[in-house]
Amino acid sequence: MAGFNFESADPDNGVVTGRKGGAIVDLTVTGVAAHSGKEPKKGRSAVLELAHQIIKAEALTDQAAGKLVNCGLVNGGTSENIIPDHAHTGIAVRFTTKQQGDELLAALQEQAAHPTVAGTTVEMKVATKIDSMDTLPGTAALLEKLQASARLLHQPVPHGKQTGGASDAGVLTAHNIPTLCALGIMGGGAHTAHEYGLVSSMFDRAALVATTIAHLD
């Protein structure tokens, strides 16, 4: 069994053999509001608890291992003189393997279950998740078949590469299916105002994949 995913490709004739996975995680903290001058002892600061959560979350980052946790969106409170009873952060999680992703999400859930500021509660919700596209034992053999098809078609031979962007190819590798990705139109500037595609590459890539499928065992 083999998988082919048609994400757009860079103009370097590369084929993706592995991608990072990603998740968006929401952390919502609930505290107790109180006037910071009159009744500070009655308050339980959701913002303070969120600060603890963010520090612990970002400490999970290990760029050398391909793990990244980025708290990129923060809001909370109602006024400077009120101890805040609510706070929220949106977290981007990136990981190289499915195991890393599971470990990161479990760590975030564990810290949410044990807040630092007494009287506050933390709710963790995984808003979206895309599994990493793991490089499996059969991936190299599948790439070799694609390269053989390129030679048969007198096309430039594509090379394999790893990339950081996530894609639906992770769904296939999560089911242990060797997969190649970025087999779609070549171009550049992904997700920007100057994104472009090379129309002629659509025909070459279609012929390449069709020939590879025809020669699968």
Side-chain angles (χ1 to χ4, degrees):
M1 189 175 292
F4 301 93
N5 198 52
F6 292 85
E7 285 280 336
S8 60
D10 293 330
D12 62 357
N13 200 37
V15 172
V16 173
T17 57
R19 288 180 179 273
K20 287 185 178 180
I24 301 297
V25 176
D26 291 326
L27 285 184
T28 302
V29 183
T30 301
V32 179
H35 193 284
S36 61
K38 293 181 178 179
E39 302 175 312
K41 293 183 179 180
K42 293 184 178 181
R44 301 291 184 269
S45 176
V47 168
L48 179 57
E49 176 56 36
L50 184 62
H52 286 290
Q53 292 287 326
I54 289 173
I55 290 171
K56 288 186 287 187
E58 297 226 4
L60 297 171
T61 292
D62 183 349
Q63 293 193 31
K67 298 188 291 185
L68 175 67
V69 178
N70 178 61
C71 300
L73 181 66
V74 177
N75 58 66
T78 55
S79 174
E80 292 83 357
N81 63 347
I82 299 296
I83 294 173
D85 63 355
H86 67 275
H88 169 268
T89 185
I91 304 174
V93 180
R94 295 280 182 176
F95 43 88
T96 303
T97 66
K98 183 178 183 300
Q99 180 179 348
Q100 284 184 348
D102 292 343
E103 291 172 351
L104 284 170
L105 293 179
L108 290 171
Q109 182 64 68
E110 174 67 15
Q111 72 176 49
H114 298 90
T116 300
V117 178
T120 63
T121 59
V122 184
E123 179 185 5
M124 173 193 157
K125 179 181 178 182
V126 179
T128 62
K129 181 174 181 288
I130 299 178
D131 286 324
S132 58
M133 175 191 172
D134 294 355
T135 302
L136 302 176
T139 303
L142 184 58
L143 177 61
E144 288 175 1
K145 289 183 180 292
L146 188 84
Q147 292 169 331
S149 295
R151 296 185 186 98
L152 186 65
L153 294 168
H154 304 290
Q155 291 186 13
V157 177
H159 61 277
K161 67 178 185 178
Q162 304 277 322
T163 187
S167 86
D168 290 334
V171 176
L172 297 174
T173 60
H175 288 83
N176 206 36
I177 300 173
T179 301
L180 299 177
C181 191
L183 290 166
I185 187 172
M186 292 185 190
H191 307 309
T192 68
H194 57 272
E195 183 173 6
Y196 70 92
L198 303 173
V199 176
S200 61
S201 67
M202 296 175 65
F203 302 98
D204 290 342
R205 283 299 175 98
L208 180 61
V209 174
T211 301
T212 303
I213 292 174
H215 287 83
L216 289 176
D217 296 334

